[in-house]
Amino acid sequence: MCPRELDNDGDLATLTKPETKRPKLYKVLLHNDDYTPMEFVVMVLKDFFHKNHDEATYIMLTVHTKGVGLCGAFPFSVAEAKVTKVMNAARKEGHPLLCTMEPE
Ligand code: TYC
């Protein structure tokens, strides 16, 4: 709805300032486990999150040492699709890798 205010005549005046709504974003997270190979996690970060080799390696090592790491932040349906693709790829290869999303 357009924002409105009362002008000094008491009429309704429509403000011209456009509403700029930022879409709500969801963080996609990778979680550490003891079994998923490091190379598989690097591949996931390159193929599904468009990271280069150095970025992917850095994020993978962050997850490995700290337990969790950020892959990126996306609108809900994009984040949901990425989580599904990562989990399907991991299960297909028999890895227990966990990928989750949460509001930013
Ligand atoms: N900890 C795993 C290993 O030592 C590597 C790993 C990194 C697993 C990141 C999951 O999200 C992960 N093989």
Side-chain angles (χ1 to χ4, degrees), residues 33-86:
D33 65 73
D34 292 339
Y35 303 103
T36 303
M38 290 182 172
E39 306 75 53
F40 183 83
V41 179
V42 170
M43 180 278 290
V44 160
L45 287 160
K46 286 174 162 180
D47 288 5
F48 298 127
F49 298 97
H50 311 293
K51 304 298 183 187
N52 67 35
H53 188 78
D54 287 355
E55 291 169 335
T57 302
Y58 182 85
I59 295 168
M60 181 280 294
L61 287 173
T62 303
V63 178
H64 179 68
T65 55
K66 296 198 189 310
V68 66
L70 179 65
C71 305
F74 310 94
F76 184 89
S77 59
V78 177
E80 195 182 37
K82 286 187 188 289
V83 168
T84 300
K85 282 183 185 178
V86 171

